[in-house]
Amino acid sequence: MSTVILLRHGKSTANGSGVLAGRTPKVGLDDTGRAQAAALVDRLAPVPLAELVVSPMLRCRQTVAKLAEARGLKKIKEPGLSEVDYGEWTGRALKDLFKEPLWKVVQAHPSAAVFPGGEGLAEMQARSVAAVRAHDARITAKHGENAVWLLCSHGDVIKSILADALGQHLDSFQRIVVDPASVSVVRYTETRPFVLRVNDNGGDLAGIAPPEPKAEANGGKGKQSSDAVVGGTTGA
């Protein structure tokens, strides 16, 4: 299977407003977010990208716009990677939501949290993990096991994908931090995912592309191995 870069959208006009934007239309990047989006072109320059898959939300499309132009890639919109549907919580001030009984459920038992008039966090994880795995299988079939592709989505969506990749229950996903414009990386294999980066805000990304598999690897098939390296990787 291939390697996916999980990119959270850049800082938006709603991120510092104290309001839960959710799926509110036309929430775009602010000045900081636009600078973060522009910086992606150079930051990802050493990384070959087969495809770009994005949430339909404006802030995600804006985040990858310059990167798509620089690479000559189309932005494939994927509804399964859209922001959480917060229902009646959408557009409300966080200071008011903090007083709601559901807030504690979201913090301590998110798998049981269902937003009034919206979706549950467990439902969000199910559709986002299904989307990333479906695209990964499609891209692997089209571009090969060494393919690297980029997914641009939202904080809780990416956290839920990482929790799945880590074999971690959704009730623990609040332990994961995913900042605006941060990069996390997952390499999927036949038997398990490998989590290569989490919430990377500026590191060298040149090494995330997998090396060409040796012909004798995996029983002579030359495929990427699903085995973990005993004692830890050498960093190659």
Side-chain angles (χ1 to χ4, degrees), residues 8 15-16 19 22-23 34 40 45-46 54 68 76 82 84 136 145 151-152 156 209 221 224 228:
R8 186 181 173 189
N15 284 147
V19 171
R23 295 184 178 180
R34 284 189 287 271
L40 283 172
V54 302
I76 301 172
S82 191
V84 180
D136 193 75
E145 291 198 345
L151 171 163
C152 184
D156 280 349
K221 298 178 182 179
Q224 295 291 347

Side-chain angles (χ1 to χ4, degrees), residues 13-14 19-28 57-59 82-87 89-92 154:
T13 55
V19 171
L20 185 64
R23 295 184 178 180
T24 303
K26 299 181 180 179
V27 174
M57 305 302 295
L58 176 62
R59 52 197 182 272
S82 191
E83 177 64 287
V84 180
D85 182 356
Y86 292 110
W89 277 32
T90 303
R92 292 183 59 189
H154 308 269

